[in-house]
Amino acid sequence: MATPKEHIEEIRRTRFSIGGEVNPLAEDLHQAVKNLSVELYAKDVHFLMELIQNAEDNQYSEGVRPTLEFIVTSKDITATGAPATLLIFNNEKGFSPKNIESVCSVGRSTKKGNRRSGYIGEKGIGFKSVFLVTAQPYIFSCGYKIRFNENPCPHSGLGYIVPEWVEENPTPLDIKEIYGNSTLPTTTIVLPLKPEKVKPVKHQLSTIHPEVLLFLSKIKHLSVKEVNADPKLNSVSSVAISSEVNFMTRKNMNAESYTLHLSSEETGDSGKECSYHMWKQRFPVRAENVVQRRNDVEEWVITLAFPNQERLHRGRNLPGVYSYLPTEMVTNFPFIIQADFVLASSRETILLDNKWNLGILECIPSAFMAAFKTLLFASDQAPVSSLLPMFKFIPVDRSSYEKLNIVRDKIKEKLMEENVIPIETYSDQKHFYKPREVGRLMPDFWDILTEAREQGVCLHNLSSHDGIKILNYSFDNEEYDHILQFLGVKEVNVQWYAKCIQSSNLVDGVSEDVYLDLLLFVATNWSSSFSDSNMMNIPLIKYVDANGSISHLYLHQCTQSHGVKRVMLLDSSQSCPCSWLINWNKVFGCPSNRVFMPEATQHAIRQFHCKQTLMDWLESQVHVATLNIYSFAKLVCSSTKKNVRLAISYCHFLYHSKSKGYLSKHDVDSLCSSMPLVDSYGRVVESRNGVLVPANVSKWADLIVSNPWLGENYIELGKEYLSPANYAGQHTPNGDLIKFLQIHVDACDIPNISPPNAGFSSVYAPLTKDNAFLLLDWIRNLKYKGTPLPKRFLECIKEGSWLKVTVNGYRPPSKSFLIPESLGKLLQSDAVLVDIPLVDESFYGARIKEYVEELKTIGVMSSYDEACKFIGEELMSRAAASNLSKSHILLMLNFMGKSSSLSSIPFIDKSYFGDEIFQFEEELKLLEVIVGFRGNYKVVIDNLKPSSTFVSLTAEAVILLLECLKFSGSSTKVIASLKGASCLKTNMGFKTPDECFLFDPVWGCIFEVFDGFPVLDHEFYGDSISTFKDQWRQIGVIVDFDVVIKKFAALFKQKASQTSFDKQHVYSFLSCLRRLKGTGYSFPPDFSSIIHDQKWLRTGLGDYRSPRQCILYGPEWKTLSAITCLPFLDDSDTCYGKGIHEYKKELKRTGVVTEFKDGLEFVPKCLNFPSDPSSIIPESVFSLLECFKHIMQKNNDTIALDEDLSKRLSKNWLKTHAGYRPPDKCLLFDSKWSSYLKPTDGPFIDEKFYGPKIADYKKELVAIGVTVDAVKGCSLLANHLQFHSDTNTIVQIYRFLCDNNWKPEEQATKKIWIPNGDKGGNWVNPEECIIHDKDNLFGSKFYVLEGAYDRKILPFFSFAMEVKSKPSVDDYVDLWNGWESSLECLSDDSCYKFWMFILQQCSVKSEKILSDSLKKLPATSGNNEIFLLNKEDVFIGDNLHLMKLFEGEKVFVWFPKQNFAPLDRCKLFDIYRKVGARNFSESLSKEESSFTNSVDLNEMDAGNVFNLKGLVKLILGFLASILNMEYATF
């Protein structure tokens, strides 16, 4: 046989006459070849398609993986001056002599007539297309080294097909260097590129479609890369495309199915893969579709490819039609069509009007249906959910090619008539129906059904209503809407839902959460679907009836106006539990047909995620009312009228609601004001003016006996209020209800009741000591409250003989005396003729002296004057009644000498009484006896002594002088005599006139304030001095108010500056202010300023302040005083005492704050929270918030939080469920939170402690820093997380934080809760966690969150807590290192999962990490055990024979035995190599002994030789010792 070179020489000589005469047809042949090559394809890319097509048509040796490789380089290895060279490598069998002869000719392809044998080439000169990009293609195959030239050969005149033997360039070494391997594939084509073709070729190489191998039956691997000395010059995107057939199943003689895997790896990419369901079916060619090109083809082979993942595309369009290789037709179908189509000359499209192609298209719907049903019904065991991806292969979208739309429509027609739609059976049995027989459900209802089934509700009759089959749950998904719409699957009618709900027990058979989901479903679809449907006629609304049982209402019942029950809910802001009102509602017998939803339902509504939507529907459509305990009480109140039992029950309800803090005092007071009461006659009374405690527990009955208030509409409470009772599980102890009524309906008793305007008989008889004191206490209390005593009531007390006296037993108060003992004895001894009726202190004891003012009020006399008057009247009456003896008259006059209250005796007989009568001159004056001077003033003036003798004048002398000034015409002498003389007696001794002040009965109180004013001695001079005001002014005495007040102001200011104002000063001054009011005398402005500005009032803080800086304490300040240091006036006994409060009006005039609202401005600056915040009562906080409210109203709803106030507020004083905190660390619970959280889940203000009233101060709380906004509150909530240990609570908080996109600002706040079943859990750092561990390998290293939390909140841990989504390569390496140090054997499952991850994450970086970190690799001995051995001691089994010999040894690296693609195996072995494992075959070497040349060897029967395996072991052991290898390795 000729050598390849000899064969080429023969072709040149015989075919092209080289060395002989020129072929006369050479030029024509040359032109024909050139024209065909240029016109064949419109684009440069098709030379690549032709080369791929040729490679597919090539023959390959058995066991060889057909591979086609393209390498472009800038090296000019052909020495032709080409700027770049393209090399094509193919491991086919190689060019045979016939192939060489074919390529050296035109139209003589070796594939002609062999289309039925699988050849896909069609034009016959595919290789010639390379001349589009090169002028000199080279072929190296099976010893042939030839090239062609597009220029005519000088010897034959022909181009393109004349072969030339290559002697020099390129050399095999050049090619091997570029290929990167010392062994080259069988065939190599070298194309030195034309300069203008370099860029287009590189572009096409970079964008070669990764699905190019999809329908090629031979080529399994195609790669493209660029090789340059400087990699930076590379511009071609490298790619490696591989295909593997996973399994094949033949269905029948005409069809087969299999799975094909395509993988594509590009530069810098870890690789992409896609598997395809392949369906290949044969159809006979119909006679009417035969064309000449295919006249030898008897059947169409149609292959449909259904991609399981995203198709591989490399940024290219996704061709939908193949004719072995891709066209450029984008069909919009989700599957790919392959057939032996007749193509257009451009190879871009098929010829759509070609009858051959039309025949193929008519078969595609049948092929699709066969493939689809095969995929759908392939496995009886597969769940429906696994079949659903098959429906995505249905061509829902229209194509841009009308002929293909006909295919689409026929596919749809076939699908409509096939039982291909799975229905929901809730069993393992699958059932399929035609699309028109199946109905869809709303997504929300599916959720309800799913949860109901999990809770044990039977749903097997789901497809029993209205003859409609229900689409399988997995299929009834938004993801498949377009498919179901395409197939005509519609939603069930609205009537179906009501039938399903009623027949499936979805109301009572599910949890409250699911029940609420059901109501929400009805609510959200009410207006659009259910308002006019049979949903109105099912018992949907649950309530608690009067017997405590759960009953149901139909929706149509709820919407009626009259005669039906009305359902109620407790307002979620209330602190009382729902059961409280439910239980009491039973006691009241469901008043006005009002009933409550069950407690569990109401509790679930509070936590419901769509609470507001549900509540809106319940209120507007179902007429469910939301009420608080106050409104419930108002409702009950209206039903208790005329019913004694209900009225008493209602009172007990209010009592217990108040005692538990469910109703505030204000609310109870309001409710009690209209509460019907049962009186002592057993009648229900609705209106009254007052309430009396029952007589048998009262004081009024002891004192008054009968009820004098009957005429004033006072009711006496019935005895029912006294007895202990039990209602709604609550016990009322004996007497507690009366105490409650005394507080809240003002059920009164003496001494707290207002007296009637009537007399009462008991005071007309002696009263016991206790009743006497009770009566006095009553009067005292009335006076203290400022209640006037009714006239008839006072009169009967004054005139009744009930008061025990020392004379004649009992007398009326108006005729009795309470006088000090010493004075009483004096009066009794002097007035021997009269007995004085003194209150009997021996009977009443010393206590009676405590009631002096009360006794005065009822007429008891106590002054000396009153006693003297009484005695005088008695004596005078006796004198008028009888003749008195001399001694009696003298006694009378002696008494009158001591008394100034008696009038004159009309007659004195001097001869009868003698000289002794002159001893009683003044007394005779009192009896109007004229004694002494008769008005001779001029005589007095004329005979005045010198002024020097005017010292310490007697009162008579001064009065006489004043009379002289007043009645005489001349006054100069008198004035001159008096001025400068210390002749006037004052309270400070005798003073000169200009030092003295005249007391004025109106404004003279000023002199009582301080001791520094010498005021004329009124007692010394007598009352007449006030009649000489002008005369006093004449002699220099200060008598005018305006002059006095200036001096008083100076002294006032002096005292204030010396802080020497004492209690007496203050009281006197305030008393003076009171007396001056309304008199016309007022202080001038300058003195008023002194009063307002000087610091003369002492506060409880221990300092003196001006009135404007002081507050008069009142009961309304009590709660605030506990948390402030306010400047209250010091009303302690050691300072002003309680009496200061009697001067409230006067203090207000001075500037003191006396009204609560006026003093609120003081509060912010005086805040002083106690160190123990638990001592702060809610009322104190409410008072403070009320203060802030007042301030905000005056300041445009703002509070100036200056540094001082902020500091004061920063103390822990607000009670939250997380303890006491400052406002900026508190949250106020709001409806926005309720769908996620409970108030106890964070630092929410404790509404149970403060009551619902706290919510009324939302604006004020926000102003001082409390957080209400959900988003702003996330950080506070998160910071409190670590105080929780309840998993459900923590999950809800995580859900809330997740939905509000919260992310911590500080690392310290990043902690994650790891649940531990019933044992609680623990808090860990985020770096100790991972979200997913799909391989379940890291349970001992990380806390895996995927199993602990709902998948919806897993992203939160990633973006907020920065938890790793999954273990990294480093984590896997650490895991392996742990196994290396702790394990000798490894489970197959763990090993498989580890290395599958490594394969998926394979990259240059990860390979470097593995190489540096792994010390051991998995080895197996063939018995399914996996051992971890040093990587130097294990080998990659690349020789099947040697692997067979060592199958029992721990020598070879492990790899999976099942479901492991060859490509993955290659990748794994490649990783093993990079880690340090060696190929087994490359680890051995041998030397041939020379003794065989000199010794005759005998051939032996191999069967008689001892065990081959042992022999090989010995040989390899020997070789290993030479190579310094340990025998133990094998």
Side-chain angles (χ1 to χ4, degrees), residues 191-337:
L191 305 178
L193 299 176
K194 297 176 181 178
E196 71 276 11
K197 298 300 182 182
V198 173
K199 187 173 181 179
V201 168
K202 285 188 176 184
H203 174 72
Q204 297 303 334
L205 288 171
S206 296
T207 57
I208 192 167
H209 204 288
E211 288 182 336
V212 69
L213 303 184
L214 188 57
F215 297 103
L216 301 182
S217 61
K218 295 179 183 177
I219 299 179
K220 301 301 180 186
H221 183 78
L222 183 149
S223 66
V224 174
K225 67 179 180 179
E226 183 173 5
V227 175
N228 287 305
D230 185 358
K232 295 181 180 178
L233 299 177
N234 293 349
S235 59
V236 173
S237 297
S238 299
V239 65
I241 305 168
S242 300
S243 70
E244 294 286 343
V245 175
N246 194 17
F247 63 91
M248 181 178 294
T249 303
R250 182 174 293 278
K251 291 297 179 182
N252 53 51
M253 293 296 293
N254 295 319
E256 63 184 26
S257 66
Y258 55 93
T259 300
L260 184 141
H261 293 276
L262 280 185
S263 61
S264 172
E265 295 185 10
E266 295 190 57
T267 305
D269 194 348
S270 60
K272 296 180 180 179
E273 294 186 2
C274 182
S275 63
Y276 302 78
H277 292 297
M278 308 296 289
W279 176 261
K280 182 183 290 186
Q281 188 170 356
R282 301 175 185 276
F283 295 88
V285 177
R286 294 189 291 269
E288 62 268 23
N289 297 111
V290 174
V291 294
Q292 185 176 2
R293 293 187 188 181
R294 303 289 190 271
N295 57 9
D296 61 333
V297 179
E298 298 177 353
E299 60 183 6
W300 290 306
V301 179
I302 298 176
T303 304
L304 302 181
F306 302 93
N308 287 323
Q309 296 90 27
E310 181 184 1
R311 290 176 61 181
L312 307 181
H313 53 82
R314 298 186 75 203
R316 299 282 309 279
N317 288 333
L318 296 174
V321 177
Y322 277 61
S323 183
Y324 303 103
L325 292 171
T327 67
E328 295 192 6
M329 294 179 67
V330 178
T331 63
N332 285 339
F333 289 177
F335 58 89
I336 308 164
I337 303 169

Side-chain angles (χ1 to χ4, degrees), residues 969-1018:
S970 175
S971 61
T972 304
K973 186 177 181 181
V974 176
I975 294 172
S977 299
L978 292 175
K979 279 190 175 182
S982 299
C983 59
L984 298 180
K985 189 175 187 305
T986 70
N987 58 330
M988 299 175 67
F990 284 90
K991 301 288 183 178
T992 60
D994 58 355
E995 295 178 308
C996 298
F997 295 86
L998 176 66
F999 183 84
D1000 186 279
V1002 178
W1003 52 263
C1005 55
I1006 291 176
F1007 302 125
E1008 299 172 2
V1009 178
F1010 304 118
D1011 295 334
F1013 294 98
V1015 181
L1016 294 177
D1017 191 338
H1018 189 89

Side-chain angles (χ1 to χ4, degrees), residues 714-770:
Y714 275 63
I715 70 166
E716 177 189 341
L717 292 174
K719 63 181 185 234
E720 293 86 353
Y721 293 102
L722 297 174
S723 304
N726 292 287
Y727 291 97
Q730 305 298 316
H731 176 70
T732 308
N734 184 24
D736 282 12
L737 204 59
I738 286 296
K739 295 177 183 177
F740 171 78
L741 292 171
Q742 286 176 326
I743 295 172
H744 298 288
V745 300
D746 200 19
C748 296
D749 195 7
I750 295 174
N752 297 312
I753 191 171
S754 296
N757 187 19
F760 52 98
S761 60
S762 58
V763 296
Y764 291 101
L767 290 180
T768 66
K769 181 168 67 173
D770 290 339

Side-chain angles (χ1 to χ4, degrees), residues 496-547:
W496 183 92
Y497 290 99
K499 294 177 181 178
C500 177
I501 292 170
Q502 192 165 13
S503 66
S504 301
N505 195 27
L506 289 180
V507 174
D508 292 326
V510 297
S511 67
E512 294 298 335
D513 288 338
V514 178
Y515 172 60
L516 295 187
D517 285 333
L518 177 62
L519 292 183
L520 179 65
F521 169 73
V522 176
T524 53
N525 296 283
W526 182 255
S527 58
S528 61
S529 302
F530 297 135
S531 59
D532 296 322
S533 73
N534 57 350
M535 192 68 74
M536 299 287 291
N537 301 319
I538 64 173
L540 193 60
I541 304 301
K542 295 193 290 188
Y543 72 92
V544 181
D545 62 20
N547 297 320

